[in-house]
Every structure is written in C-alpha cells, then in structure tokens.
Amino acid sequence: MTSAAFTLILTGLKYLFGVPVMVDSTLRHSSVQASSPRVVTRFAPSPTGYLHIGGARTALFNWLLAKKTGGKFILRIEDTDLKRNTPTATQQVIDDLRWLGITWDEGPEVDGPNAPYFQSQRRETYDKYIRQLLEQGRAYYCFESTEELGQLRGQAEAQKKGFIYQRPAVLPTEKDVEKAKAEGKPVTIRFAMPEGTIIINDLVRGEVSFNTAELGDFIIIKSDGFPTYNFACVIDDHLMGITHVIRGQEHLMNTPGQQALWQALGFGNPPQYAHMSVTISESGGKLSKRERPQTLRKAIKARTDTDFNLNELAGVGGLSADEMKDFLKGESVPDVPAIEAMAKYLGISLPEINVVDFFKSGYIPEAMVNFIALLGWSTGDTREVMPLDELIAAFDITRLTKSNSLFDRGKLVAYNTEHLKMLPKEKLLAHFKAYLKIVDSPVAKADDETLLRLIKICEGARTLADIEHKTKFLFTADDRIEFDEKAVQKVLLKDNGLAMLKLVRDKLAAMAELTEQGIEDMLRALAEEHKVGLGKVAQPLRVAITGSTISPPIFDSVQMLGKERTLKRIDNAVQKFADTK
RNA sequence: GGCCCCAUCGUCUAGGCCGGUCCAGGACACCGGGUUUUCAACCCGGCGACAGGGGUUCGAAUCCCCUUGGGGCUACCA
C-alpha cells in the first residue's frame, strides 16, 4: 500500500481575521497502516431508494477490502437530507445488501461501539465540532437565501466563471445571527477554506492537486441545522476510525474540502482514499436510477397509436393529469411503484438498475457480486468467474482501474450462467424459491424435491427466469395452455405433426407406467418406425403439452406431467387444431 | 464555461510504474462449423484494439507534450 496518505501544502502566510491559519508549511502524514493496523471501511448510503448497481459496487469493494485484510466493515446511514429520505429506503438497502451477501460488523440492526449509525441521530456530535470550528474562526455564519445564492451563481455563469462564495471581510457574530433569525433569514455555516494547494494521494489516481481558491467556502451546516454530507462524513469517518474510503470518482472533488476539514479539526491522519472509476450505462453517462423513468417517458412519448389513452395510463400510476404532464416534460418523477405499474401496463421492460431489479430478472447474487467486482478491477491473471471466497482472496485494492467501464448486461448473463452451474444445489434451491416468491410464480407451489428436479432438468439455463419459464407448464391448468402461434404452425400443422401426435398419444396411452426411459424408448422406436428423426415425433408432443417449442428435455417433461395430464393436453391440442390449416 | 479524471478488440480487461520476450493475451458478444428431442448448455474455428499528431530513444502500447474524444463535479444532495 502507498505510504504517504496525503500531503497538505499551504503556501504563504495566511491569516483568517487575525488568526493564523497555516504558516508556509508542508505537513506530511505517515502511512495510515503504521498508526492503525486494522483496516476499517464503511459503506455510507443515503436512504433515498433501493440499492443500485453503483452503490452495490462501492459497498462491495469496501467489504472486499475489509474481508481480505481481516478488517471491519461498517454500514452507516447518511440521512441528513430530510427532504430526500424515503421511509422504507433503509430497510430496502439492508435487504439488498443482505441478498448480495454483504454483511456488516457495525451498523443498523447489528449495532456496535460507534452507535448510532444514523447521522440524523448524531446531531450533538456534529454540534460539538461545529462550535470548535466557529470558535477558531475556521467556520462562519451566512445568511443568504437560496434565491440570492442562485443569483450570484447566475452572474458568475454569465461571466463564464465558476461561482466562488465571497467570504465577508468581517465575519458575522452571534449577535448578527440573532438579528438574522429575527428577520427570518436562513442561517447556514460555511467552512473557511484555507488558501493553498491540496494534494490528495489517491490509491487509484495517484497524486491529484487542487487549488483551494477554486473550491471556495462550502456549507457545512444547513439552515435546518443538519450537517451537509461533506461535514458529517468527516466527523464520522474520524470517530469510527475509518482507515480506507473507497468511493466513486464523483467524490473526487469533495476530497480536498474534506481533507482540509479533517486538518482543521485536528483529526490527524485522514483515511486513504481510493476513487473508483464510474460505471457507465449503455446510453452514455453514469449508470443512474433515473434511467428507469427515462425509459418509461420515452416509451410513452413514442406511443402514437390512436387507441392509446394517456389518462388511463396516468390512472394506472395513480397520477393526476398534471402530474403526468410534468413527468412527460421531465419536470418530475413519480414513485417507483407508479413507474413500475405504468411500465407493466404498457408491456415494456425497464432497464435493470437497482439490485432488486436483477433479483426479479432471475440473476443470482453470486453472479452479481462476481460481475460487479470485475467492473473496474481484475485479478491480473485470467481468472474471471469465481466463487466469493476466491474473490476475497484475490482482491487487491491497488489493482483498481482508472478508466470508466460500461455495464454490459450480456456479460452478466454469461456470469450468471456459470454461477448457476457452479453453485451447490441447496443454495440454488434457496435462490430459486426466493425468486419464485418475488415474481409470484405458480411454480412456487412445488415442493423442494420437485424444485430440485426442475433445476436439474433445466441444466444450462442462463437465469432463474429461464427455469421458471421452461417449467411453468407443469403448474398450468391443462385447458389453459397458451399456444405459441409460430410453434403450432411449424410443428403441428406442418409435416403431419398432428398425425404423428395422435400416434404418440396411442403409444403413450398403452403404457402402463411412465418412466423417462420408457418414454424415450417409445419415442425413439416410433421415430425409427417412421424413418424420421426424433425431433419429428418429440416436437409435436412438446408443443401439445407446453404450447411452445421450448421446454426441458421431453422425456422428463412428459414423465413429470404424468400420463393423465399429458393425454388430456394432447387431446386438447388435436381437437383445437384439427380443423386449422 | 470553470475545475478534475480517463483513453488497448463492439464490451470488460491483461500488459504500461521496471521501453525490446506484444506483428498485443484472456473473457463476453458476434460470425462459421460440430453435437443434438426444442431452447439453453457444450466442443472446434474465425473476426477483432494500442484515438490522432509530435517528441525522447538504437527501439514505445509502455515515458513526455499537444490535439481530439469520453466521463465526473460545479447544490443549504449525498
């Protein structure tokens, strides 16, 4: 691991209202490892929704590092933005992490010495440090409204300059605060950024330097009294003894500010940072949960058919006409359930972004974790498909890639196929049952023994959804089979398919007991007798009992369906298509 | 616009720090063939990349600079 964690260089003699901030000094911090041998990492999501792929990747890398080094992994909920928090989000994130197999040593539901793990419950702690900063003149009050700030920003933009908050020549006093409050002005607190150059030594990017003059004084306490991310994160990382912070590149620009804060608070050595590359989606930018509503919006706009009723769709989503209008204009985004209901109504599938989306599509966590781990990281040799323990053993934080990577669903499918083959049967059974439950499949009715058999006869399946689709016919009523038109045309109505089906029926009816072997012998004999390939006799049978040309091996399919039901389905098919051409 | 990051097959990547062993390796995808009761799986083969331009050097995918392209951030969000 790299030695110097970071270097803060401040040039010149700078005074902040009489208080010397830093005098032309170069502070070198020794290796984090030297002072704290045990690695402590964390995943700190904000509870605004489901865990998405990007978050899962961040959590995974932090978890992997902790596991690899025998360290500790903490889950901390950054719920300081009351407006954005959604009530069930924390539970959703917890469920998603558990599904992936990512467990935490400290955090919600398991607790630990650093409790509470919800930032909204740590107000006193932040208050203590903010007082310290205020007293030292390293933080100061501000009273501008959002509108005023917006105006200043607009002016800067008009001049093609970046907006930097101008620190007042004389800092507001407590008296000014009282006055502002009396006048109903919002009160926020900004960090007084010291002047100079901050160099961060990133585990994946190397040295990156920033001029603090271009960063400006950022807000650390909001007008509602809650800390902003940049402040709370620094306090908690310090208090919780975090040694390594692995996060997305989108946080790179926050790092100098956080390090300066770390320094100002006298926290000593900051953690080692590793800014991962970003995961890009097929459509271009950062993989984002916005893609689902965007896809839906596009689909709605693409509907030009006359019988399509927009109001009806709005009703499905529980939206008013105005809300629908806003959504289409891109001004608002409905809830997840509303989005999903509308997508279902339109019969379109939304891109999988959240971890649950993949669960519902039939992917297994082992494959997800393996695939996500290889997005921006590699072993260095040619190993790719690996079980979890091997992944942990192979993990090396210094091998993270610098460049962004595209989330390729095709490759995920390939990984899922491999893991489906590798996984012990009991584990697969558990995954399959969970899957059947979440998609509310009729197959869920089957007992474990049957389920295990279904898994076995679907060997080579790519997803759990494949297994479900292939075997659902067993749990459908005999007269409710949905026939695939193409399959009927090609298999039953052509080449005497129906005639062959009748022959098969008679042979089957004559069999005392159905075994896979018996069925196979019978079908093969029939094919030979008529000098045709097995396909010619098997396919009509397959279509008759499943309605489609896709099914598990025919011998198993028939055996599992049973003689009575098979005959009934053959009769139904013969009757149904006898007069069709 | 400003600041920051990145750049090898369509995609994920190995190699780059320690320049020659790389006319660039693997995987997915794709194409062709095989196996076959369907789909999937499986087997064999093929296509396919060092963004461009300048340097440095006997020699550059590897080091330096520029251009171009992509991405991130630019909130009283995290």
Side-chain angles (χ1 to χ4, degrees):
Chain A
M1 237 148 263
T2 331
S3 56
F6 96 132
T7 315
L8 177 59
I9 304 166
L10 295 162
T11 49
L13 183 62
K14 300 296 170 192
Y15 286 88
L16 180 64
F17 309 101
V19 183
V21 169
M22 194 65 72
V23 183
D24 189 32
S25 62
T26 301
L27 301 173
R28 276 191 187 279
H29 292 265
S30 55
S31 163
V32 164
Q33 283 209 303
S35 53
S36 47
R38 196 181 182 201
V39 167
V40 182
T41 62
R42 45 75 167 179
F43 175 52
S46 66
T48 54
Y50 296 89
L51 181 67
H52 57 98
I53 287 299
R57 192 168 73 118
T58 303
L60 178 63
F61 281 135
N62 280 289
W63 181 81
L64 242 21
L65 179 65
K67 288 289 151 195
K68 167 72 185 223
T69 57
K72 193 162 71 171
F73 176 67
I74 299 176
L75 177 61
R76 183 174 76 216
I77 307 298
E78 308 218 324
D79 54 351
T80 53
D81 185 352
L82 274 19
K83 294 181 291 291
R84 295 203 325 156
N85 292 343
T86 54
T88 56
T90 301
Q91 193 55 49
Q92 284 164 352
V93 169
I94 283 175
D95 291 346
D96 293 338
L97 285 172
R98 290 241 164 90
W99 181 71
L100 286 171
I102 295 175
T103 53
W104 46 102
D105 303 296
E106 285 182 37
E109 294 190 358
V110 301
D111 249 350
N114 295 297
Y117 295 93
F118 289 83
Q119 290 188 327
S120 60
Q121 297 167 21
R122 301 171 64 82
R123 291 282 296 279
E124 317 86 80
T125 308
Y126 308 127
D127 287 348
K128 187 181 115 197
Y129 289 102
I130 200 69
R131 272 197 300 277
Q132 178 190 326
L133 248 23
L134 246 13
E135 277 161 22
Q136 293 171 170
R138 311 199 68 165
Y140 61 94
Y141 293 105
C142 302
F143 312 113
E144 287 84 5
S145 66
T146 313
E147 293 72 40
E148 287 169 312
L149 251 17
Q151 261 179 17
L152 291 171
R153 203 166 282 120
Q155 283 168 20
E157 212 166 292
Q159 294 170 51
K160 299 196 168 187
K161 282 196 292 196
F163 170 66
I164 305 292
Y165 184 82
Q166 279 312 112
R167 192 183 307 167
V170 179
L171 294 187
T173 60
E174 294 293 336
K175 228 182 233 169
D176 295 325
V177 174
E178 292 310 313
K179 198 176 147 223
K181 275 184 183 163
E183 289 169 5
K185 285 184 180 169
V187 179
T188 60
I189 301 174
R190 282 179 193 265
F191 174 57
M193 193 73 151
E195 281 183 44
T197 301
I198 293 178
I199 296 173
I200 71 165
N201 200 322
D202 192 90
L203 247 19
V204 350
R205 318 241 153 222
E207 285 191 354
V208 186
S209 65
F210 298 87
N211 182 191
T212 60
E214 273 153 3
L215 267 18
D217 295 347
F218 53 93
I219 290 180
I220 53 180
I221 297 290
K222 299 183 266 187
S223 58
D224 63 4
F226 277 87
T228 58
Y229 160 71
N230 278 310
F231 186 63
C233 167
V234 167
I235 305 292
D236 289 342
D237 280 349
H238 168 251
L239 260 20
M240 295 180 182
I242 304 300
T243 62
H244 293 72
V245 173
I246 307 175
R247 54 175 25 165
Q249 192 207 196
E250 61 266 30
H251 287 293
L252 192 55
M253 297 298 276
N254 290 143
T255 312
Q258 291 177 200
Q259 285 200 336
L261 212 35
W262 195 283
Q263 180 75 15
L265 288 160
F267 285 168
N269 299 338
Q272 290 229 278
Y273 290 99
H275 288 93
M276 310 181 291
S277 56
V278 170
T279 304
I280 305 291
S281 79
E282 273 106 333
S283 56
K286 187 170 73 166
L287 195 68
S288 151
K289 50 189 159 195
R290 285 189 297 274
E291 273 184 55
R292 286 166 72 78
Q294 266 164 12
T295 303
L296 177 66
R297 187 182 291 134
K298 266 191 204 160
I300 296 173
K301 285 184 173 172
R303 291 296 285 260
T304 49
D305 37 319
T306 45
D307 59 332
F308 172 59
N309 187 332
L310 190 63
N311 290 332
E312 198 176 312
L313 179 68
V316 169
L319 303 186
S320 69
D322 281 346
E323 284 171 326
M324 178 56 99
K325 223 182 269 173
D326 284 349
F327 170 51
L328 289 180
K329 273 192 280 184
E331 285 168 4
S332 71
V333 175
D335 284 353
V336 171
I339 297 279
E340 285 179 359
M342 290 189 278
K344 194 176 174 190
Y345 176 79
L346 290 176
I348 57 166
S349 61
L350 269 15
E352 297 111 338
I353 301 291
N354 297 319
V355 168
V356 270
D357 300 335
F358 291 92
F359 177 25
K360 288 180 185 170
S361 291
Y363 293 94
I364 58 175
E366 288 78 1
M368 293 300 300
V369 161
N370 191 168
F371 180 69
I372 292 172
L374 259 25
L375 238 38
W377 174 76
S378 69
T379 60
D381 51 48
T382 59
R383 281 178 299 165
E384 291 194 16
V385 175
M386 287 170 278
L388 201 53
D389 52 352
E390 193 177 340
L391 210 52
I392 293 169
F395 189 70
D396 176 355
I397 193 174
T398 66
R399 289 196 54 84
L400 294 198
T401 322
K402 290 179 181 171
S403 49
N404 295 343
S405 45
L406 192 130
F407 189 86
D408 179 2
R409 288 184 172 74
K411 192 151 183 171
L412 206 214
V413 172
Y415 276 52
N416 205 62
T417 309
E418 292 304 315
H419 278 278
L420 243 22
K421 277 188 270 194
M422 276 164 49
L423 210 63
K425 292 294 161 267
E426 323 77 62
K427 281 195 180 170
L428 235 184
L429 176 64
H431 287 327
F432 192 38
K433 285 166 84 168
Y435 169 75
L436 294 173
K437 196 174 162 200
I438 201 168
V439 298
D440 194 23
S441 166
V443 182
K445 286 182 295 205
D447 58 29
D448 286 5
E449 197 190 344
T450 307
L451 254 17
L452 242 14
R453 172 111 189 261
L454 296 182
I455 290 169
K456 184 146 195 287
I457 63 176
C458 289
E459 230 167 341
R462 314 195 59 136
T463 64
L464 295 175
D466 282 355
I467 304 178
E468 197 268 350
H469 295 332
K470 261 188 177 181
T471 58
K472 200 162 59 178
F473 78 97
L474 289 167
F475 305 89
T476 310
D478 297 326
D479 53 359
R480 287 282 170 78
I481 294 296
E482 283 178 34
F483 288 93
D484 177 67
E485 216 173 294
K486 273 188 207 147
V488 171
Q489 270 301 330
K490 194 176 159 206
V491 177
L492 291 183
L493 304 181
K494 263 197 196 162
D495 300 336
N496 293 323
L498 276 178
M500 183 59 81
L501 185 57
K502 286 179 200 160
L503 294 176
V504 172
R505 197 227 119 96
D506 293 341
K507 294 276 187 195
L508 225 34
M511 290 172 74
E513 180 195 16
L514 293 192
T515 60
E516 294 103 273
Q517 192 60 53
I519 296 163
E520 177 165 1
D521 292 345
M522 181 275 283
L523 291 177
R524 286 196 190 281
L526 197 57
E528 194 151 332
E529 188 185 319
H530 291 267
K531 303 266 183 289
V532 293
L534 186 54
K536 284 278 181 279
V537 316
Q539 283 301 76
L541 177 57
R542 193 187 309 276
V543 173
I545 66 172
T546 70
S548 116
T549 54
I550 300 168
S551 88
I554 192 67
F555 319 126
D556 294 281
S557 298
V558 170
Q559 193 275 329
M560 287 190 80
L561 226 208
K563 185 170 166 179
E564 193 189 331
R565 300 183 72 192
T566 303
L567 292 179
K568 204 185 284 176
R569 290 185 188 201
I570 292 175
D571 293 340
N572 286 159
V574 169
Q575 193 183 21
K576 188 165 182 183
F577 301 110
D579 304 325
T580 330
K581 273 208 176 152

